[in-house]
Amino acid sequence: MPRIRLAFRQDGPARFLGHLDVMRTFERACRRAGLRPAYTQGFNPHPKMGFAAPLPVGMNGAREYVDLELESEAPAADVAAALARQLPAGLTVLGARPVEAGGSPLMGQLGRAHYRVTGRAANGEKWDDERLRAAVERFLGRAEVFVTRRTGKGTKKKDIRPGIRSLRARTDGETLILTMELAAGGGGTVRPDEVLRALREEAGLDLVGAEVWRTALLSGDGRLLWEC
């Protein structure tokens, strides 16, 4: 069956939608747009759509991806335009292209993600670029960085250092800007809030009013998922 890959931005009020709500919103938008998605078999059929990665509630997504399987061929540009007219504020279609049917799902190809975090130093503490760089270098120089994760069975300690592929920090006036590339997908996923927590505990860098954007989703070999 034909498959269309959509790129979309999720921000504004839509950043507070949970992943299941985003899935239902796309499903309803498909119906209102007159698209005919393919459905799974069984007692509870649902549209065949595969998102690259759930976006945590409160986080903005600059370029998220979803693959839609359709019952019949349709130009990707027409699918994008039809959905763009039906999606609510905060979910903006950026592009669409056909992808090979039967290929690997987006989630299975995901290996890395880029994030951009902006915020202010807690308690009005002063940080300049030199101090930030030194703190980040010391942080990255650690062989292990443990954080506590909640699981279905309680909490456990997790070493996130192997999943922090890069981390940079700079200032823009009173604003602190952090960019990071983190492991994503599978059991090695590291979340930006975990890095921020570890920076506060290990390096004394405490951000308040942080705004987080997921800016790119990449495969394990560093290609944008859009191109995979």
Side-chain angles (χ1 to χ4, degrees):
M1 291 185 176
R3 186 155 61 131
I4 302 294
R5 179 160 300 164
L6 285 163
F8 65 97
R9 184 172 66 245
Q10 184 176 341
D11 62 354
R15 72 184 188 277
F16 296 112
L17 293 175
H19 185 57
L20 289 178
D21 292 324
V22 174
M23 293 174 62
R24 294 189 192 103
T25 300
F26 269 87
E27 182 179 349
R28 295 187 190 111
C30 283
R31 287 202 298 268
R32 289 196 297 269
L35 300 174
R36 300 181 60 191
Y39 276 78
T40 59
Q41 303 295 315
F43 292 105
N44 184 28
H46 55 271
K48 290 184 176 180
M49 60 175 65
F51 289 80
L55 189 67
V57 173
M59 188 184 298
N60 302 283
R63 196 171 179 84
E64 302 294 302
Y65 303 118
V66 58
D67 283 353
L68 302 176
E69 282 194 34
L70 302 176
E71 285 190 346
S72 57
E73 295 284 351
D78 290 355
V79 173
L83 280 174
R85 288 191 290 270
Q86 300 300 331
L87 287 170
L91 290 171
T92 306
V93 176
L94 303 175
R97 74 175 187 86
V99 292
E100 183 180 354
S104 299
L106 281 166
M107 193 171 287
Q109 300 180 67
L110 180 65
R112 314 179 192 181
H114 287 184
Y115 300 90
R116 183 177 190 271
V117 182
T118 58
R120 294 174 288 102
N123 303 316
E125 189 175 1
K126 298 298 182 185
W127 288 81
D128 57 24
D129 287 340
E130 184 176 353
R131 185 184 176 197
L132 271 177
R133 277 195 295 271
V136 168
E137 285 178 7
R138 286 195 302 273
F139 180 78
L140 292 177
R142 298 177 64 90
E144 299 173 326
V145 176
F146 281 94
V147 297
T148 301
R149 282 185 178 173
R150 293 185 183 277
T151 71
K153 299 179 180 178
T155 60
K156 68 175 183 179
K157 293 284 187 180
K158 172 73 175 178
D159 179 16
I160 63 171
R161 181 62 188 89
I164 304 174
R165 301 181 62 89
S166 70
L167 174 63
R168 295 181 178 85
R170 65 180 177 87
T171 61
D172 183 4
E174 298 295 317
T175 302
L176 308 184
I177 302 171
L178 278 68
T179 55
M180 52 186 88
E181 180 180 304
L182 306 178
T189 296
V190 174
R191 303 192 307 267
D193 62 291
E194 292 177 323
V195 177
L196 293 178
R197 185 161 19 112
L199 279 169
R200 182 179 66 242
E201 295 172 357
E202 305 290 344
L205 177 56
D206 189 7
L207 264 66
V208 294
E211 182 180 54
V212 184
W213 281 82
R214 187 159 69 189
T215 55
L217 292 165
L218 302 96
S219 63
D221 59 9
R223 292 178 295 156
L224 289 172
L225 286 189
W226 179 254
E227 301 167 352
C228 294

